[in-house]
């Protein structure tokens, strides 16, 4: 890499900018979501969630930790968990992408203000962290397994990358470079052999290297990836897999252990592989993710089935009522799928992103943007409860959306994704444009040969399956336009300026000398459908789920219905009703027993089948305290 002078990204800012790969991502200035499903969520994120996060971080003293550290305060005065600094950094990153999305001068000033605050705590040698090294605190880097120092540094670097790409080089980049230089000095080839118990520094260092051209940062990221899996961290009672330190990255066959840790590490490994031309490492991570998707992923795209260690379970251990599916793991899985999509061009990674967006990310945050799920269960047996809007919740492994948790990593994580979401929709390849996600969006970019192309994409997706792409500007000449037909969309139709044709699942390309006014229309069949589990998933054997397009549906009960007695008729196909899906079902009475085992119980007279209205999973628990289930036992 050659050193560069970083400035504002001319594309308007992109979270991931690989130097090579099958696809080039477009930025916030090239793709703008203007209306519809995701525009609503972006507005709520910008208008409410960012302020909500800032107010809680101020209230709990997390932002004040930087001032206290400058004043020489130590353990007695510090607030929050050891990783609280990272939440402030993620908030700054989200605000930076919001500046890129909206050009908000108020957010720009707030980022500058928080940057001044962060700068107060940086030591002369570049070290930046408020939980170690102060009076009464443990020494720096004395707890690599659980201290999260390098994890926090990674989020600082990612915030600086976002700030620089949307606002130009400035103080935050200077802070980040000094922090990164310190990491390289301490943990480089001639320094301490160490890794962080929570990966994240790896992809952050690579992205900083991409931004600055500093080879040292890429080399350090590669060094951290190579050090993984040699059991150098202290053994955890959940095993070395908890830290992703059980098996070398290129030797693993599946993602395991703590889900967020594993996914962040995989992101870093893909970044290192792409920038160093290590095809073997790239193929290894892709194979691990593919096996994870095939055997260890919930229907919603949720990652992680174990509450006790926030971890992946074994193959096909996917109990719906113990689905952890942490919101942060959903964000991390999108980050990984996006990197693999850019590197390989394989369309099914865009299918993965779509599934997680509509069934994890869209589910997590409340309609007003001021409460969120930490974990995303697929079966809520006990009614959720309303929680106070001004109290921090200590438990973060399940339950209702809450305004804040003692561990509140998920809200700023979703916030940074939503603020930058338009950068995940469209790419260019060697010759033309590829549209991966469907939304009301305007696209204005240049093809690899320099020609300008502008498009207007309009759709009612995911409620309606028609996607219309209209050319609004072009410098002339033909170019390929590729759209994605999701794997579930059997029977899709593509309408082009030259005619109408079937479109099979996968990428479908239109090659045409497009002129202004030309349209391409993709018609996706959004019929409700039953989905059956792999027979090896014991926990949902004898059940079906209902999906419509990319959206998973669920049964929700606000009153006294016992969803554990629900049985649906798989012989009657689900049908659309206004805002939901109707299935034929009955509630089967179950008598009380002194012991829950024994011979086959005598059946009570069957209740008649009636219509049961299901709603999108991302809409559950928005009408009040409720029970819910996604997997439905059959009659």
């Amino acid at each position: 890499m050659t050193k560069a002078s970083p400035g504002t990204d001319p594309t308007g800012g992109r979270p991931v900018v690989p130097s090579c790969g099958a696809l080039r991502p477009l930025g916030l200035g090239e793709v703008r979501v203007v209306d519809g499903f995701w525009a609503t969520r972006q507005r709520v994120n910008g208008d409410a969630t960012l302020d909500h996060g800032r107010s809680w971080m101020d209230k709990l003293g997390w932002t004040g930790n930087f001032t206290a550290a400058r004043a020489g305060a130590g353990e007695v005065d510090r607030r929050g968990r050891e990783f609280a600094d990272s939440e402030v950094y993620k908030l700054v990153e989200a605000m930076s992408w919001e500046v890129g999305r909206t050009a908000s001068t108020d957010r720009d000033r707030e980022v500058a203000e928080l940057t001044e605050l962060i700068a107060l705590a940086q030591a002369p040698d570049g070290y930046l962290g408020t939980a170690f090294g102060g009076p009464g605190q443990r020494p720096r880097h004395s707890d690599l397994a659980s201290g999260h120092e390098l994890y926090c540094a990674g989020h600082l670097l990612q915030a600086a990358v976002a700030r620089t790409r949307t606002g130009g080089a400035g103080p935050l980049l200077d802070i980040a470079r000094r922090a990164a230089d310190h990491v390289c000095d301490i943990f480089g080839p001639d320094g301490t052999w160490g890794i962080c118990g929570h990966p994240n520094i790896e992809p952050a260092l690579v992205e900083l290297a991409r931004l600055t051209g500093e080879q040292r940062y890429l080399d350090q990221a590669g060094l951290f990836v190579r050090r993984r899996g040699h059991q150098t961290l202290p053994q955890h009672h959940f095993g070395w897999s908890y830290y992703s330190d059980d098996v070398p990255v290129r030797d693993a066959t599946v993602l395991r252990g703590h889900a967020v840790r594993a996914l962040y590490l995989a992101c870093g490994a893909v970044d290192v592989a792409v920038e160093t031309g290590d095809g073997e490492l790239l193929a290894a991570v892709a194979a691990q993710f593919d096996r994870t998707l095939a055997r260890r992923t919930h229907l919603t795209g949720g990652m992680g089935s174990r509450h006790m260690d926030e971890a992946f379970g074994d193959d096909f251990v996917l109990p719906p009522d113990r689905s952890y599916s942490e919101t942060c793991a959903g964000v991390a899985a999108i980050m990984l799928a996006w990197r693999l999509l850019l590197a390989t061009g394989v369309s099914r990674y865009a299918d993965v992103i779509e599934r997680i967006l509509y069934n994890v990310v869209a589910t997590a945050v409340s309609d007003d943007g001021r409460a969120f799920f930490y974990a995303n269960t697929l079966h809520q047996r006990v009614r959720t409860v309303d929680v106070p809007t001004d109290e921090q919740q200590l438990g973060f492994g399940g339950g209702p959306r809450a305004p804040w948790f003692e561990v509140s990593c998920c809200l700023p994580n979703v916030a940074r994704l939503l603020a930058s979401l338009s950068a995940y929709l469209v790419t260019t390849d060697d010759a033309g444009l590829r549209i991966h996600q469907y939304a009301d969006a305007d696209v204005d970019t240049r093809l690899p040969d320099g020609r300008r192309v502008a498009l207007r994409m309009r759709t009612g997706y995911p409620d309606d399956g028609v996607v219309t792409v209209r050319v609004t500007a072009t410098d002339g000449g033909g170019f390929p336009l590729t759209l994605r037909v999701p794997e579930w969309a059997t029977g899709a139709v593509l309408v082009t300026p030259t005619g109408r044709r079937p479109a099979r699942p996968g990428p479908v390309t239109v090659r045409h000398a497009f002129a202004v006014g030309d349209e391409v229309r993709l018609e996706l069949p959004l019929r409700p459908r039953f989905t059956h589990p792999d027979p090896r998933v014991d926990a949902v054997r004898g059940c079906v789920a209902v999906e419509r397009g990319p959206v998973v549906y669920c049964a929700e009960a606000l009153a006294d219905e016992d969803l554990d007695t629900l049985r649906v008729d798989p012989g009657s196909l689900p049908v659309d009703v206004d805002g939901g899906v109707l299935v034929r079902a009955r509630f089967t009475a179950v008598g009380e027993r002194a012991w829950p085992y024994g011979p086959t119980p005598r059946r009570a007279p069957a209740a008649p089948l009636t219509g049961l209205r299901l709603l999108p999973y991302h809409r559950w628990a928005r009408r009040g305290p409720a029970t819910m289930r996604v997997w439905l036992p059959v009659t």
Side-chain angles (χ1 to χ4, degrees):
M1 280 189 175
T2 57
K3 291 187 178 181
S5 298
T8 305
D9 186 339
T11 71
R14 296 163 289 174
V16 183
V17 187
S19 63
C20 58
L23 305 174
R24 180 188 75 88
L26 302 192
L28 305 186
E30 297 175 290
V31 183
R32 296 194 178 276
V33 179
V34 296
D35 202 358
F37 188 96
W38 291 113
T40 298
R41 283 153 180 80
Q42 284 191 315
R43 283 194 294 270
V44 169
N45 187 60
D47 294 344
T49 302
L50 296 180
D51 289 335
H52 180 75
R54 175 66 191 276
S55 66
W56 272 95
M57 292 183 198
D58 287 347
K59 172 183 174 180
L60 296 174
W62 297 1
T63 51
N65 285 335
F66 297 96
T67 306
R70 177 59 173 265
E75 187 62 29
V76 173
D77 299 294
R78 189 182 180 278
R79 298 291 179 263
R81 294 284 297 271
E82 62 276 11
F83 41 75
D85 294 356
S86 70
E87 314 309 352
V88 179
Y89 300 148
K90 276 187 287 189
L91 183 67
V92 171
E93 181 185 348
M95 289 178 173
S96 297
W97 295 128
E98 187 68 9
V99 170
R101 188 181 77 86
T102 65
S104 168
T105 56
D106 289 339
R107 289 294 178 210
D108 187 69
R109 282 192 296 269
E110 191 167 10
V111 171
E113 171 198 329
L114 286 168
T115 299
E116 291 178 2
L117 200 66
I118 291 166
L120 294 174
Q122 189 163 38
D125 64 357
Y127 178 83
L128 182 49
T130 68
F132 290 83
Q137 294 178 333
R138 291 173 289 174
R140 297 177 183 178
H141 309 306
S142 59
D143 185 5
L144 290 176
S146 301
H148 289 75
E149 288 166 280
L150 293 175
Y151 167 83
C152 290
H155 280 299
L156 169 66
L157 306 190
Q158 289 170 328
V161 168
R163 175 59 166 167
T164 305
R165 287 182 175 157
T166 57
L172 189 57
L173 180 60
D174 294 337
I175 293 167
R177 294 194 69 156
R178 291 176 61 210
D181 288 340
H182 179 268
V183 170
C184 294
D185 289 342
I186 299 298
F187 296 98
D190 300 323
T192 301
W193 176 285
I195 55 174
C196 185
H198 198 310
N200 186 51
I201 188 67
E202 299 86 354
L205 279 168
V206 176
E207 210 59 48
L208 188 63
R210 289 166 171 164
L211 177 72
T212 63
E214 181 58 66
Q215 181 69 35
R216 187 187 192 194
Y217 303 152
L218 175 60
D219 292 344
Q220 185 64 50
L223 190 59
F224 280 140
V225 170
R226 290 193 299 275
R227 286 176 180 171
R228 285 274 165 192
H230 300 284
Q231 302 178 9
T232 56
L233 291 170
Q235 186 171 10
H236 195 280
H237 62 275
F238 293 133
W240 274 294
S241 65
Y242 181 78
Y243 299 129
S244 297
D245 193 32
D246 56 331
V247 180
V249 174
R250 68 178 67 241
D251 296 338
T253 59
V254 70
L255 299 183
R256 67 245 167 263
H258 189 279
V260 179
R261 285 170 163 87
L263 289 159
Y264 280 169
L265 176 61
C267 288
V270 170
D271 289 337
V272 168
V274 167
E275 296 305 320
T276 61
D278 191 339
E280 180 185 275
L281 178 59
L282 177 63
V285 178
Q288 292 163 30
F289 192 45
D290 291 346
R291 185 179 178 92
T292 301
L293 292 169
R295 293 168 175 256
R296 299 185 174 190
T297 302
H298 287 281
L299 179 65
T300 55
M303 300 274 167
S305 58
R306 295 209 308 236
H307 280 240
M308 63 180 183
D309 50 353
E310 302 183 306
F312 291 104
D314 295 329
D315 288 353
F316 305 110
V317 180
L318 295 165
D321 52 353
R322 295 300 292 167
S323 166
Y324 199 65
S325 298
E326 184 182 337
T327 297
C328 275
V331 173
I334 288 174
M335 292 168 57
L336 177 56
W338 180 240
R339 283 163 166 80
L340 289 171
L341 176 63
L342 296 178
T344 67
V346 174
S347 181
R348 59 188 165 82
Y349 293 121
D351 285 353
V352 174
I353 292 171
E354 177 181 76
R355 179 170 293 275
I356 299 170
L357 281 174
Y358 284 106
N359 300 297
V360 177
V361 173
T363 305
V365 183
S366 64
D367 288 335
D368 67 1
R370 295 182 174 88
F372 62 102
F373 284 135
Y374 187 104
N376 293 274
T377 185
L378 272 66
H379 186 174
Q380 182 71 31
R381 293 180 182 273
V382 180
R383 290 180 71 191
T384 57
V385 295
D386 291 324
V387 298
T389 59
D390 59 349
E391 289 184 12
Q392 178 181 217
Q393 301 300 302
L394 298 180
F396 51 87
R401 293 182 187 90
W404 205 252
F405 294 93
E406 179 194 19
V407 177
S408 279
C409 48
C410 296
L411 191 66
N413 222 352
V414 170
R416 65 176 180 156
L417 175 64
L418 287 176
S420 61
L421 185 61
S422 61
Y424 291 82
L425 304 187
V426 185
T427 64
T428 60
D429 55 22
D430 288 341
L433 285 171
R434 291 195 183 192
I435 298 175
H436 304 284
Q437 305 299 334
Y438 300 123
D440 278 3
D442 294 333
V443 181
D444 194 336
T445 188
R446 292 193 177 275
L447 300 177
D449 62 10
R451 286 179 295 147
R452 180 190 175 210
V453 172
L455 307 174
R456 186 181 70 179
M457 177 167 49
R458 295 295 183 266
T459 181
Y461 201 73
D463 296 328
D464 181 81
V466 176
V467 182
T468 302
V469 181
R470 181 182 179 88
V471 178
T472 56
T474 176
D475 287 343
F479 64 90
L481 175 64
T482 300
L483 290 84
R484 176 182 59 88
V485 179
E487 53 83 21
W488 47 262
T490 303
V493 173
L494 185 69
V495 182
T496 75
T498 59
R500 182 182 179 92
R501 69 175 194 257
R504 292 186 297 180
V508 56
T509 301
V510 180
R511 302 181 188 277
H512 186 71
F514 288 104
V516 172
D518 283 347
E519 285 188 352
V520 172
R521 188 170 72 251
L522 180 63
E523 299 173 358
L524 299 173
L526 292 186
R527 295 180 293 271
R529 63 191 186 276
F530 282 127
T531 296
H532 298 264
D534 187 294
R536 290 168 289 185
V537 184
D538 289 338
V540 291
R541 189 175 291 125
C543 296
V544 295
V546 174
E547 298 180 271
R548 182 180 184 274
V551 177
V552 173
Y553 278 68
C554 67
E556 181 186 63
L558 301 182
D560 296 329
E561 297 98 336
D562 183 358
L563 293 182
D564 287 344
T565 67
L566 174 65
R567 301 291 183 270
V568 299
D569 177 12
S572 300
L573 294 178
V575 295
D576 281 317
V577 294
D578 184 30
V581 167
L582 198 71
V583 294
R584 297 273 290 171
R586 63 166 59 100
F587 289 90
T588 302
V590 178
E592 292 298 323
R593 304 172 66 175
W595 178 243
Y597 311 100
T600 302
R602 186 171 57 187
R603 294 184 180 182
L609 288 166
T610 60
L612 176 69
R613 185 176 180 274
L614 308 180
L615 72 157
Y617 174 72
H618 64 248
R619 296 302 309 164
W620 95 271
R622 297 182 190 273
R623 300 181 296 170
T627 58
M628 178 276 300
R629 67 184 304 161
V630 166
W631 288 104
L632 311 172
V634 300
T635 54

